[in-house]
Every structure is written in C-alpha cells, then in structure tokens.
Amino acid sequence: MVTTLYDLFQRTLMVFPTAPFLGARQYSAIRRELGEYRWRTTREIAELIDWFGSGLDQLYDRHVGRAPGFSPLHQTPLGIYSKNRIEWVVAEFAGFRARRFSVALYDTLSSDCVEHIVNHAQIPVVVCSVDKVATLLALKCTMPSLRVIISMDPLHAKAKGSVHTTMSSTAIRALHKHAEGLGVVLLDMATVVEMGRANVSVPKPPSASDICTICYTSGTTGPQKGVVSTHGNYVSAAKSLYHSMPLYHSTYLSFFTLASCFERSILYTGMLGGMRVGFFSGDVNHVAEDAQALKPTVMAGVPHLFNFIYHRITAATIYAPGLSGAMARTAIKQKLQKLESGKGGVKHNFWDKLVCNKIAQYFGGRLKLLISGGDPIDARVLGFLRVAVSCPVLESYGLGECCSAATACLLTDKTSGHVGVPLPGVDICLRDIPEMDYVTTSGLHPRGELLVRGPSVFLGYYRDEAKTHVALDGDWLATGDIATINDDGNIEIIDRKENVVRIREPFDQSVALEHLETIYSRHPLVHDIFIYSDPDHADLVAVVVPDPEAFLPLARKITDLKTATIEELVNNAQVISAMLVVLFQHGKKARLRTCEMIADIYCDPVPFDIEGNGLLTPTYKLKRRVAIQHYRSQIDHMYVSIKAKAQ
C-alpha cells in the first residue's frame, strides 16, 4: 500500500523497473550545442538514490547529528537549491529513505531570502548546483546551521556532457579553500555516491505522518512562510490528481521550478502511471527547443509562463503581417467558434493541416495535454492554446498549503474562466465576508472566501502558530481567495482577499484588483499590469508594461515617429492618452463598473521579472508590496495629475 512518497517510488520501481524515468539533454563540447535527451531507467535512478542516500547517512552521522528544531520527530532537513534536473529528484528521494524532509530553495532567490530559509528551517546540508556554492559560502557567517554543501556538478574537473554550469580548476580550488576556511565540508555528488556505494546503509523509511517537505511560500504578501506537509498529504494529492490527469505512460517536459509544490505534485502524480520526465535545459527562453527535442505529450506551468509562450506564438502567427497572419487569424477564429458552439472539439481537419499543426511543432508536435496551475489562466490565452495546439488545457487550482491539489477542470469541459470542480476526497465551502459584500446568500451565485478540507491539507506553518491559527479553521484551510460557484458547479476565483479594496467615496463598492488585472491583461497591448488603489482617493491608477509587438505599430502611427524606440514612446503624452482610451473601451466591453475603470497610467518599457526589478516571486506572481515601493513616485505623480485635471 502506498502511503508515503518513499512507497510511491518503490511501487514505480516494481511496476516500471526498466522504463525510462528521468532524462536530460546532453551537451556536446565539440559541436557546442545541446543534443538529444539521455534517459535513465527507474532501476538506475533507484541505485543512485540508494548510494547517494547512504553517503548522506555517513555525512549526517559525522557532521550533523540530530537537528534541534525537529528533535521530537527525530527528523532532519535536507536543503535542495538548483534548477530542475535529475539530481534534484535523486537528492529528495535519497533524503526520504532516511526520513529526512526536503526544504527547497528557489534558484532565483535573493541572498537575504536564502539566508532566511536556511536559518528558519535550520538546514545543515544543502545539495546545490555548482553556481550556488559561492552564494552559500558568502552567507555562511550568518547561517550557523550550515555544515555541509554538496555540489550536483563535479568539483574536480569540467563535466562532460553536462548542460549545467561548469567551472575552471582554479575557481574550484578557490571554492574548496573558502569552504575550508569557514569550516564547511564541500563535496560533489559523485563523491558522496561513491561513499554510499562502498557502504550501503539500511533504509529507514518514513511513515505517512512524517514530514515530507517544508515548502516556503513565494512571498507575495510579506516574509516567506514555511508550509509543513507530510508524506500522507502529498500521496493523497497525487492520488486525487491522477483521477483528473491522464498521465499514464506520458512524456513530460519539466520546466516550472521543482521548488514549487505544484511541479512536485505533477511529478509524484505521474510516477503512479510510469510517466517519463525530461528536464528543460535551464533557460525558459529555450523551452521550445527543449520541447522539440523531447516531443512531450504533457506540459505544465503557471499562467505567467503560458502568457510568455502565448506572446511568442501570437507574434509569429495571428499578429504576423501579410497572408500568413491573415490565415492564422482566420484559423484561430473559426476553430474558437467551433469549440465555443459545442459542435466540435479542438481539432479542425482543414485549418490543422494548413496552420495549427505548424504551431503545435513549437511544443514538439505530440502534445496531448497542457496543465495550468497556480493562478487562474487568462481566458483569451486558454482559448488560443486549446485551438492553436489542438489539445485540451486542464486548469487546476490549489495552494501550497494543500499540495496544489484542490480543484481541476474536467477534460471534457470546453468553457473557461473557472478552475473546475473539487478533486476526489476534497471538500470545499464558501465563508461570508460581509465587510466586502461577499456573502453566500445574495444573488444567483454564492460568493465568499474559499475553504478547502481534505487529506492534502498541511500541518501548519513552521514556527508560526499565529499564522497557522489564521490559516486553519479546524479541518478547513482558509485559502484567502474570493470565489463563486457557477450554475454548472465550477468554481471561479475572483481575487485574493488581501487584494480586494473598498472604494468608499463616491462609489462605496468593493474592487478586486487582481481580477481587474486579469481582465485588462487580456488586451493585446498589455504585457504586464499592476493596478493600485489609494485609500484617500476614489480613482484607480495602473502601471502598464506594453507588449512591444502590438504597442510599437500603434504608438508610431499615433506620433508619426516611424523609428522611435519603445523607451521614447512610453513617455509620449499622445501615446499615454491613446492607451487610456483603449483600456477604457476594453473595460466597457468587459462590463466593468465605473469604479473599476483606470483613471491614469504610467507606461514602463521594462517587463516585471524575478531577478531584475524583483517584482515577481519565483512562481511568477506579482509582489504587490514591492511594486508599490518600486513605483511610489509614479503613483504619487498620477494622483497629483488626476487631482489637477479635476480642478
């Protein structure tokens, strides 16, 4: 019986021992390019897990002992810090074989976030890619719990056939010297594997109630919280998701970070059906090349990543000039009409052969299912992907606090704008928020805060009883999301509770900012948008990052500046006025209320990102508090301008 993730892997080994399990593209130093995927079978991965796990046992016994934070449970943490790769999965399951729990660090984290997580979770051993070693050593003086660093990449010579970062022998010697000076044990994974291979230890499997992972939240609303989940939580989530996702014998391209609960839940779910997992080459800008090499049947990501893919494809198809653009627009329009009429599916004999089969090659040409998780995906993007790639797009919903497994759309459902129905074993209900006018008894559709109950709900936040008390109401998880239940039983997410603001004078109405951002972002001119409401003003203002493909032709036509750059045009008063008119018309078409219309905008040519301006979390969600600080002067200027116009 499968009750833990350790059991899950043992079952996979028993049922699919010789099947390809994990794969990565190999780098050719001669051709200086990435080649085909090289696969390792489940049995080969099992050997690595046993050997690396045995080596870990020796290191923990020698250098760590028992971690003080979890002494009642006799469990210790293992940090994992890299992009998605085979070694990531090996490290986590090697920890599971001795009841260690994983603590994942997003590879894009800032130094202060890395320091916070390592200290908060009291991590003694971190397994990381070689490019993260220097970061950890630089922080060692402020991270007293850290004692051992294990590099996934060789530390003795340049790696052969590796797509990941390599270092010169001089740089490697410098790392060893730095580590020695700090009293940190620095080894590479191959060395630890050999240590374990020479002295294989007896596994000490976890129980269902043991901690499986502490997954730190992305930090959209403040300091990151440690979500403590058990093996039982994740096994329950995998079993529930398996009923909704046809992953049996599928080929999966893993490109969304494994540090997230969502990506790991997909991985664990796929293991039930013998799914083989090919990891991307490390750069999301080249995910199309990875897909063409792997030819996956399943891909999963969050809306922001699918928006990125959408903009890439539409720029070359429906927004392309000439005959090819006209044909693409007609193809997508007719396929959408057919889909929405209910008279057919995502296939179209004529347009697929002429247009859409070529678009499908962006994903390798064999795609059978796209999975979108995290935030609700934009209806325009959802519809386009369904008909352009000719495959179903399954939208799922769930917080890290319930292993990203609460609801999912039915594969036969051709509608959009919702996150489906509860997964098997999951209960949902709505709780009134009267101060925001969200009550379950008013109108045709009940509205309120979405609560989730089921075996996938977490234990609590690590070392934070106050926030745990807020999040858990008995057996119910308070998601903080405002939702409504439609006539067909599908659940629609309206907004985050903390993003709903009250505009009192002269409207005295509640406004859902994130919901509005989703609506306005549907316009082709908008690449990114951040909407702000000041408590002392009745008007909404917004920061808009225009989409260059749609923005430049319009702005150049308005100004008659044929060679002007986007940096020049975003500051042009005529362009700003035209953008406001376009967004106002878009809002009216979407039937927005007067209080939901944007009164002024600031155009920024720099897209929101994780590392540059730091406006996005590692899971591509907007850091609203950071955005407010980042654009404080522009926000203040917009409100001054609105006041001046009113006088």
Side-chain angles (χ1 to χ4, degrees):
M1 183 177 180
V2 175
T3 60
T4 69
L5 292 180
Y6 179 84
D7 296 337
L8 176 60
F9 180 77
Q10 295 305 311
R11 177 192 177 277
T12 304
L13 176 61
M14 180 180 67
V15 180
F16 310 103
T18 59
F21 178 31
L22 303 179
R25 295 182 73 185
Q26 296 301 291
Y27 180 75
S28 171
I30 297 174
R31 295 192 300 270
R32 294 185 178 182
E33 64 181 14
L34 291 165
E36 297 301 312
Y37 274 82
R38 181 191 170 201
W39 294 93
R40 299 190 186 187
T41 66
T42 312
R43 184 174 290 149
E44 289 172 331
I45 294 298
E47 287 181 338
L48 279 175
I49 288 171
D50 277 340
W51 295 338
F52 185 63
S54 298
L56 281 178
D57 290 344
Q58 296 174 40
L59 291 173
Y60 272 83
D61 289 342
R62 193 178 306 158
H63 302 287
V64 178
R66 183 179 296 173
F70 285 87
S71 54
L73 297 175
H74 306 292
Q75 287 187 263
T76 50
L78 173 66
I80 309 177
Y81 185 22
S82 80
K83 293 181 179 179
N84 298 14
R85 53 191 292 181
I86 293 172
E87 294 83 358
W88 205 111
V89 179
V90 170
E92 183 172 54
F93 279 87
F96 291 161
R97 84 187 285 279
R99 297 183 66 230
R100 298 186 183 97
F101 57 88
S102 63
V103 181
L105 293 96
Y106 292 94
D107 70 286
T108 54
L109 285 177
S110 62
S111 294
D112 59 334
C113 288
V114 172
E115 180 184 339
H116 166 70
I117 292 174
V118 171
N119 286 334
H120 192 256
Q122 298 171 294
I123 302 174
V125 179
V126 175
V127 183
C128 65
S129 51
V130 70
D131 58 305
K132 306 301 183 187
V133 174
T135 300
L136 292 171
L137 291 175
L139 295 170
K140 166 55 185 169
C141 292
T142 57
M143 300 190 307
S145 67
L146 182 62
R147 301 173 192 178
V148 180
I149 298 174
I150 303 171
S151 170
M152 296 175 178
D153 305 289
L155 289 176
H156 53 81
K158 289 190 175 181
K160 295 180 179 180
S162 174
V163 66
H164 303 286
T165 305
T166 57
M167 301 183 72
S168 67
S169 56
T170 302
I172 290 172
R173 283 196 298 269
L175 287 179
H176 278 295
K177 185 176 181 180
H178 192 188
E180 186 179 354
L182 293 169
V184 173
V185 177
L186 177 60
L187 301 168
D188 60 23
M189 205 163 184
T191 300
V192 179
V193 166
E194 287 305 312
M195 289 167 52
R197 188 176 187 178
N199 186 16
V200 178
S201 59
V202 177
K204 300 174 183 176
S207 65
S209 60
D210 278 341
I211 295 171
C212 162
T213 189
I214 297 182
C215 187
Y216 279 80
T217 59
S218 54
T220 53
T221 58
Q224 295 166 303
K225 303 184 291 290
V227 175
V228 181
S229 299
T230 67
H231 282 269
N233 292 149
Y234 271 95
V235 168
S236 296
K239 290 178 179 178
S240 291
L241 288 168
Y242 193 68
H243 287 284
S244 302
M245 300 176 180
L247 300 180
Y248 186 75
H249 279 184
S250 56
T251 300
Y252 179 65
L253 176 58
S254 175
F255 70 101
F256 185 57
T257 176
L258 276 167
S260 73
C261 301
F262 171 67
E263 184 69 10
R264 275 183 278 170
S265 283
I266 298 292
L267 172 68
Y268 306 147
T269 303
M271 288 170 62
L272 288 169
M275 180 177 78
R276 65 174 188 166
V277 181
F279 295 104
F280 82 133
S281 55
D283 187 348
V284 73
N285 291 304
H286 296 152
V287 72
E289 290 92 323
D290 295 328
Q292 287 152 23
L294 180 64
K295 295 179 172 53
T297 58
V298 181
M299 289 176 63
V302 293
H304 191 277
L305 290 176
F306 285 124
N307 290 346
F308 171 80
I309 292 171
Y310 167 82
H311 286 295
R312 280 285 187 93
I313 296 177
T314 55
T317 55
I318 61 176
Y319 294 135
L323 181 61
S324 62
M327 289 175 59
R329 287 189 291 274
T330 304
I332 298 302
K333 181 179 178 181
Q334 290 191 9
K335 289 192 70 177
L336 278 173
Q337 289 174 342
K338 180 183 176 184
L339 181 68
E340 292 167 358
S341 69
K343 297 178 180 179
V346 295
K347 305 286 187 181
H348 191 292
N349 290 336
F350 179 75
W351 287 120
D352 285 350
K353 291 179 181 178
L354 201 62
V355 176
C356 294
N357 287 348
K358 297 175 183 176
I359 298 176
Q361 289 303 317
Y362 183 94
F363 299 98
R366 294 199 312 139
L367 204 60
K368 304 297 182 186
L369 178 66
L370 281 171
I371 303 169
S372 177
D375 297 326
I377 191 172
D378 180 86
R380 174 191 57 168
V381 176
L382 177 64
F384 175 85
L385 290 174
R386 277 175 173 165
V387 299
V389 190
S390 303
C391 83
V393 181
L394 188 151
E395 187 167 5
S396 65
Y397 164 82
L399 308 181
E401 287 84 344
C402 59
C403 306
S404 295
T407 73
C409 295
L410 301 176
L411 286 172
T412 54
D413 193 338
K414 300 169 186 176
T415 60
S416 59
H418 58 80
V419 293
V421 296
L423 289 166
V426 176
D427 298 325
I428 66 103
C429 73
L430 300 181
R431 179 166 64 184
D432 288 348
I433 312 176
E435 67 273 17
M436 294 181 179
D437 296 333
Y438 291 123
V439 292
T440 57
T441 55
S442 65
L444 296 175
H445 302 137
R447 292 185 171 197
E449 181 180 6
L450 183 65
L451 305 186
V452 174
R453 181 175 64 183
S456 61
V457 172
F458 77 140
L459 294 181
Y461 296 116
Y462 178 47
R463 296 168 62 183
D464 199 332
E465 291 185 10
K467 287 189 173 67
T468 298
H469 181 72
V470 172
L472 293 175
D473 185 356
D475 293 334
W476 292 95
L477 166 66
T479 67
D481 287 321
I482 308 300
T484 184
I485 301 176
N486 297 332
D487 290 334
D488 56 7
N490 284 311
I491 299 161
E492 180 182 345
I493 305 298
I494 299 172
D495 210 320
R496 289 290 296 168
K497 186 176 177 181
E498 69 257 16
N499 294 338
V500 176
V501 297
R502 189 81 179 180
I503 299 180
R504 302 201 178 277
E505 297 295 338
F507 305 108
D508 195 26
Q509 292 177 313
S510 295
V511 172
L513 298 179
E514 194 170 297
H515 178 62
L516 291 182
E517 287 164 351
T518 299
I519 291 174
Y520 281 111
S521 67
R522 292 173 186 167
H523 196 281
L525 281 172
V526 179
H527 184 278
D528 294 316
I529 187 167
F530 157 53
I531 298 177
Y532 178 76
S533 171
D534 190 285
D536 296 326
H537 297 82
D539 298 295
L540 300 179
V541 297
V543 175
V544 176
V545 177
D547 184 276
E549 298 290 339
F551 175 77
L552 283 174
L554 174 67
R556 286 169 177 169
K557 182 178 179 181
I558 291 170
T559 59
D560 203 29
L561 300 172
K562 305 301 182 185
T563 60
T565 64
I566 189 170
E567 288 78 12
E568 295 168 335
L569 291 168
V570 293
N571 294 313
N572 186 284
Q574 287 179 277
V575 173
I576 296 296
S577 296
M579 284 279 287
L580 267 173
V581 171
V582 168
L583 292 177
F584 178 79
Q585 292 171 342
H586 181 72
K588 285 190 67 177
K589 188 176 180 180
R591 298 181 179 179
L592 296 183
R593 298 168 294 171
T594 302
C595 62
E596 296 173 320
M597 296 296 186
I598 295 172
D600 201 359
I601 61 171
Y602 168 74
C603 280
D604 189 346
V606 181
F608 302 166
D609 63 15
I610 299 170
E611 297 179 351
N613 49 33
L615 296 178
L616 298 181
T617 71
T619 54
Y620 298 94
K621 296 178 181 179
L622 178 67
K623 292 182 179 178
R624 199 166 293 275
R625 293 182 183 179
V626 175
I628 292 171
Q629 295 173 353
H630 187 79
Y631 292 111
R632 183 75 264 175
S633 61
Q634 290 87 350
I635 290 170
D636 292 342
H637 183 268
M638 283 188 280
Y639 278 115
V640 169
S641 177
I642 291 170
K643 185 176 180 180
K645 291 176 183 176
Q647 291 177 345

